[in-house]
């Protein structure tokens, strides 16, 4: 299942394949239960010093994908998950 966690002020419905019902906190709680997490980002460009983060995508072993709209979300909210030493992160083309 794809879970799209969007800015609450721009909530939009998508196809039946995309769940928009989870909050950021609920998503982080579900992700915290997994030890292996895939990580990918989408940015405004390719320069790691000037590009801005648009989307953060985190996936888990059972196939669930969590796509976070980062335009109005602070990375600080993800700090405890991303710095958890018990987690292994698999990244794709990680530069950011």
């Amino acid at each position: 299942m794809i879970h799209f966690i969007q800015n609450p002020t721009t909530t939009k419905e998508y196809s039946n394949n995309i769940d928009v019902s989870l909050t950021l906190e609920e998503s982080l709680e579900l992700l915290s239960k997994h030890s292996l997490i895939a990580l990918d980002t989408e940015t405004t460009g390719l320069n790691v010093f000037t590009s801005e983060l648009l989307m953060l995508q985190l996936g888990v072993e059972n196939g669930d994908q969590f796509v976070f709209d980062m335009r109005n979300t602070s990375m600080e909210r993800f700090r405890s998950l991303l710095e958890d030493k018990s987690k292994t992160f698999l990244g794709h083309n990680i530069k950011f």
Side-chain angles (χ1 to χ4, degrees), residues 48-94:
V48 298
F49 299 107
T50 60
S51 297
E52 295 181 24
L53 184 61
L54 295 175
M55 298 272 187
L56 174 63
Q57 300 155 68
L58 301 171
V60 294
E61 307 92 38
N62 68 1
D64 281 348
Q65 301 297 311
F66 297 83
V67 181
F68 298 91
D69 180 350
M70 297 301 293
R71 291 175 290 183
N72 294 304
T73 304
S74 169
M75 279 301 295
E76 189 63 33
R77 310 267 309 265
F78 296 85
R79 181 181 295 274
S80 63
L81 176 69
L82 295 174
E83 292 183 348
D84 185 339
K85 301 264 190 246
S86 71
K87 309 283 185 232
T88 299
F89 289 92
L90 285 169
H92 179 263
N93 197 23
I94 297 295

Side-chain angles (χ1 to χ4, degrees), residues 13-40:
E13 291 295 322
Y14 294 91
S15 75
N16 292 337
N17 298 329
I18 300 174
D19 172 32
V20 295
S21 67
L22 293 177
T23 66
L24 176 62
E25 291 75 18
E26 291 168 336
S27 300
L28 292 173
E29 176 65 29
L30 290 171
L31 285 162
S32 72
K33 296 176 182 177
H34 295 272
S35 59
L36 178 62
I37 301 173
L39 182 145
D40 191 19

